[in-house]
Amino acid sequence: MQHVFKQSFILSVTTAIALLFAGCGESKVAQCNKVIKVANQASTLGQEFAKNPNPAKGSKALTELAGKIDPLAKEMKALEIKDEKLQGFQGRFLTLYQNISKELNNAATAIDKKNIPAAKGFLVSLQKSSSEESSIVNEINSYCSGK
């Protein structure tokens, strides 16, 4: 009888320790908040630029915006996310920010070269990226809220 008690005690302690270690990881909500925080910063940059595009700066305004997005892409990449679904969102946001930065720089170059058709093409790509961002935001909000 004492042997059975000893085994169940060891099993209980082992289970408790395993649960303790599993509980030490970040919750899904905490991981969601990390990804959403960076996404919100990028969104704020875009909204501020849209409100005050400053045409007097011309292409320089686009390269400045790209320069502000690059660190956010690096920050998104550096997040330690364990949840597989959130890793997918993280990767999609990272790709999106890298593409937006590239398109902004390309549009600025086209404007500098007075290549208006190319500049318009890059701006259309940026608009598509904006709708893609909205889609990712809706998906991650749905996933993180459990709906």
Side-chain angles (χ1 to χ4, degrees):
M1 180 72 176
Q2 193 175 17
H3 179 68
V4 172
F5 174 73
K6 203 181 234 184
Q7 273 187 320
S8 66
F9 175 75
I10 291 171
L11 182 63
S12 296
V13 170
T14 304
T15 303
I17 291 171
L19 288 173
L20 184 64
F21 280 115
C24 288
E26 279 187 310
S27 70
K28 174 181 153 184
V29 172
Q31 292 179 63
C32 282
N33 289 338
K34 287 164 63 172
V35 173
I36 290 170
K37 179 184 173 219
V38 178
N40 284 341
Q41 290 173 337
S43 179
T44 299
L45 281 177
Q47 289 169 3
E48 288 172 358
F49 183 80
K51 285 181 191 173
N52 303 309
N54 199 351
K57 282 188 169 183
S59 64
K60 187 176 180 195
L62 298 177
T63 55
E64 285 177 3
L65 181 58
K68 291 177 182 177
I69 291 174
D70 287 337
L72 292 176
K74 288 177 184 159
E75 186 177 343
M76 182 65 79
K77 184 177 183 176
L79 294 178
E80 291 188 29
I81 304 297
K82 303 291 184 217
D83 184 287
E84 280 186 38
K85 185 94 170 164
L86 286 172
Q87 286 174 350
F89 291 124
Q90 178 187 23
R92 288 171 64 193
F93 275 123
L94 177 61
T95 300
L96 178 72
Y97 299 151
Q98 290 169 337
N99 289 342
I100 288 172
S101 178
K102 180 179 157 192
E103 295 296 330
L104 287 168
N105 285 318
N106 288 341
T109 300
I111 289 169
D112 287 342
K113 292 181 178 180
K114 310 266 189 267
N115 186 346
I116 302 307
K120 285 182 180 179
F122 292 125
L123 293 176
V124 167
S125 292
L126 285 168
Q127 288 174 331
K128 287 180 185 173
S129 294
S130 175
S131 66
E132 184 181 339
E133 180 187 31
S134 295
S135 173
I136 299 170
V137 167
N138 289 337
E139 289 176 46
I140 194 171
N141 284 339
S142 178
Y143 178 71
C144 290
S145 67
K147 293 181 182 175

